[in-house]
Each structure stands twice: as structure tokens, then as C-alpha cells.
Amino acid sequence: MPGMNRPVSTVPTAALQALKDMLGPGGWLESAADREPYEIDFRRLHRGNTPLVALPDSTARVAGVVELCARERIGIVPQGGNTSYCGGATPRPGGHEILLSLRRMRKIRAVSAQNDSLTAEAGCVLAELQAAASAVNRLLPMSLGSEGSATLGGIVSTNAGGTAVLRYGMTRALVLGLEVVLPDGRVLNQLSALRKDNTGYDLKQLFIGAEGTLGVVTAATLRLFPQPAAVATAFIGLGTPAAAVELLGSLHEALGDTVTTFELVPRVALEFTGRHVAGARDPFGEPHAWYVLAEATLAAADDAFVARFEAALAAAIERGLVEDAVTAASGAQRDALWRLRETIPEAQAKEGASLKHDISVEPARLPSFIEAGRALLERLAPGARLVAYGHLGDGNLHFNLSEPAGGDGGRLAGQADAIRRAVHDLVAAHGGSISAEHGIGQLKVGELERYEDPAALDLMRRIKRAIDPHGIMNPGKVLRDSE
Ligand code: 2HG
Ligand code: ZN
């Protein structure tokens, strides 16, 4: 019978009614069709259900919702742009948790060129914030493939990474202040653009990357930087990841800390984008085993900057480190080179079933990790295609697999657990991380338990209990539910 396997909500009807009254007209969604997009993640890997989607439009209303849920012991799943790779913003099956969408909290509260800061609410989409910074001639140096849909609250709550981390750091490095609704409904107001504030524990750090398990981030103040006046972008062909690591060192020596982006792209990814992305074109006549998208930027105008960048690449060609390189001579050419990197996830999705591993090791150990990982996967999943790409400058690779050409996706899916375990064991043997930038969510709770230092796990659990004693905030994400 349709709907038979849909668990009945245990959230009391009276509590739901009180929430709706508090949220007011336009502040909630309840029908199955309206709830559906909030109950499934964008990769359609995690599906749960919720009796109510709350859409508060102010911090006071978020506080009201949380206070009521705390009183009634109702679980809350905060959600922003729903771009999590780990099911971090998807409710679990069972219908015990309300979904708290921050989408209506979209005010940019302040942008200050004098303070080099921007304060905005959790539901603001990253692209809007970048535009607001650039309107006062400043740069918000966060750059994500999902910047057209990812929202500030989710970005802060997952400590998002992206393609400018090499120069500017992860989200954590950009957050100056936070406003958070605590699990009892109080508002922690630490929204300031102060650069120096050494007054005891730096509490905001607890909420950055906590994936909504300690409270709801409702607003944040971010650091801004001077806009780049000179930009140099290259797509570089080379023979090995080791050559890429060495190239990064020599670019740093030649160009200092102007190197903003250094992304590794394997040949197979270029073939994928060539097949599936309109306008994606191999910029070289000959194939290369590996490629790097490199970009350097300078805030002060300098006509010689691009020439210096090209000279550094020419020197690398001379030394045999680089096989070939093209530099962008216009904004359109730059966009075309960036597209070869940014569209890899969508192109990979079109090549059938895939397994993703978001790993990091120290950059110097990346080449040996890639070699050992390739050998391991050839043994475990012969024919499957390794698509190892990403943020080489940060030691972070998306060590992904695609089903064999011609397709045996079912077989790959059946082996997912064994492959994940083998890859993560290899990461651990290299002293690396099993989640470099995508977080834990619900996908990697077991992996965190397996690989995390027991003392660190114990501290995490104590922090969770101390701040959220009733376990209502995003239950079962990051840490296993205590119930
Ligand atoms: C990227 O770097 C994203 O493009 C997505 O983090 C990675 O799809 C992936 O595996
Ligand atoms: Zn990434």
C-alpha cells in the first residue's frame, strides 16, 4: 500500500501547532510535496523525513523554535543550501526531527571596506556575498563549485574549503565573529569584526565545522581582502603528481604567497569534461598524464606580474618539471581553463556510478599515496577508473572512482564498503584525514569512530553533552546519537 513504509511522526501535534503559530504565515511547510526537497540530499544518497519544515525569517524566530524544541525534546536538523556531500543536513528516517531551513534569513547586515569585513545572515548564498564584497572593492576569498547555492550558515557549519584555501585558508580562517542560537534557545552574540580579542576561550571556533550539532549559526562576520589587480592563470601539463608538488614549491619561491590556486587534474577527468561539458576543450595538442590549474593574484597593479608568472613556468619547462603550459590571455580564456576543473564533479556524475573519498595527506606524501592507492584499487576494483583530483596545494584530493567504462556500476556499489575501508586505512597509514573538507555528516560517523584519536573522540562527546545535553541538535550527525 502506498505510504505504508513512511514512519509516522512522533512529534506531538500540539508542539507542531505551537511551532506553526510562532513561525507565522509563510514560515513553515507541511505537505509531503513541499517537504520532499528538504528530505533528500542533492546527490540523492540520503533520504529521511520530517513532519515540518520551519522557515524562520529572523534570529528571534530561530531562537523561539529551538527553545520550544528544547522544552519538548524535539530534534532539529538545520539546513542551508542542501549541498552537503555527507548527508549532514538531511533528516533521518523516522520523522522525529523538524527541519530548520535558514533560507529566509537573507539579510546582509553590514559591509565595511574600512573594517575589511562583511556581516550577513545564514541564508545568504555565497555568490551574493562575493558580489556584495566586490561592490565595496573588496574580495571575499571563498571559492566553491557550489557557490551559486551554498549558504553562509552551511559554509560556516561545515568549515567549507574550496579552491582558494592555499592562500586564504579554510572558512575558519575567514570568520571573525558569529551569532549562534544555542540548544536551549539563547542567542550567543559574538558578531564582531575585531581582529584581536583574547578574552578566554574562543567559543566561535566550536561552532565552525560542528555541522549544526552544537547550535544554529544564524549570522557571521567574515574577513575581506583587497581585490586582485593582477591575475595570472595557467593550465599546465606534466608527467607525475611528484612533478606537480615540486612545481608548487618552485612557484612559491618565484612568486611568493601570490599563488592562490593549485589544483590537480588527471587525464581521465579532462576526457570526462571533454565528453560531457559544453565548450570544454583540451588546451593542448598532445595528451599529458596529469594537469594543474594554477592561479596567482596580486592586489597591487603590476604589468610585469603575468610575465613573471610565465617566466616561472618557462623555468619549470626548462628543468623538465613541466611538459607544457598555456596561460590565459583574457577573462574568457581564464573562465575556460577554470571550467576544466570546476565541472569535473558534474562530468564524473555522467560517467555512471562513482565512489568518493575526500582525503588529505601532507602534500609531500601525496605522490606516494596516489601510487599506493592506484595499486590498491587496481587489485580491488579492476577496470574501475580512478579520478583523483582536487586541491593538491592543500594535500586534499577527491580520490574518486568511476565504474568501468561500459559500466558495471552495480558491482562497484556492492564493493563500496570494502573499498572505502581500504582507501581510508591507506590514508591512516599515511597520517592523513578521511574527511579533508566535506565533513562527517551521517555518512562518516562510523569512519570517525574508527580513525579518530580516542582521546579526541571522548572530548568531542563531552563537548556535545555539555552544550546540547538533550541531544536535540542535528542528532546522529558527526557523533552517534546517544539514544
Ligand atoms: C570539488 O572540489 C568539490 O570539486 C567536490 O569538493 C568533490 O565531487 C567531489 O568529489
Ligand atoms: Zn573539493
Side-chain angles (χ1 to χ4, degrees), residues 3 39 45 91 132 176 195 201 231 233 238 280 317 376 435 447 476:
E39 293 175 322
L45 294 180
L176 292 171
R195 306 295 155 132
Y201 303 139
V231 179
T233 312
L238 23 71
I317 292 177
L376 183 77
S435 184
E447 299 300 280

Side-chain angles (χ1 to χ4, degrees), residues 162 263 341 358 389-391 396 398 437-438:
E263 296 283 314
R341 160 64 183 93
D358 167 35
Y389 69 94
H391 321 293
N396 174 197
H398 300 302
E437 66 170 358
H438 294 165

Side-chain angles (χ1 to χ4, degrees), residues 56 60 62 82 108 138 144 146 168 201 211 219 227 239 265 267 290 326 346 362 371 401 405 413 431 447 479:
V62 175
N82 199 9
I108 296 178
R138 292 292 181 272
L144 306 177
S146 58
Y168 296 102
Y201 303 139
E211 303 187 38
Q227 292 255 52
V265 175
R267 174 73 199 163
W290 295 89
V326 291
E346 69 181 70
E362 291 168 0
E371 270 332 295
L401 266 186
E447 299 300 280
L479 298 172

Side-chain angles (χ1 to χ4, degrees), residues 44 57 99 112 150 206 216 235-236 277 301 326 380 396 406 409 439 466 473:
R44 308 190 80 75
D57 59 358
L99 194 299
S112 167
L206 278 175
V216 186
F235 206 71
I236 299 159
V277 177
V326 291
L380 288 178
N396 174 197
M473 286 310 312

Side-chain angles (χ1 to χ4, degrees), residues 158-182:
T158 55
N159 186 29
T163 49
V165 170
L166 178 65
R167 168 93 166 268
Y168 296 102
M170 302 272 282
T171 300
R172 192 180 295 286
L174 303 175
V175 174
L176 292 171
L178 277 191
E179 179 186 87
V180 182
V181 174
L182 298 174

Side-chain angles (χ1 to χ4, degrees), residues 365-379:
R365 300 185 76 175
L366 263 183
S368 67
F369 173 82
I370 293 173
E371 270 332 295
R374 182 191 294 285
L376 183 77
L377 293 171
E378 274 167 9
R379 207 156 27 78

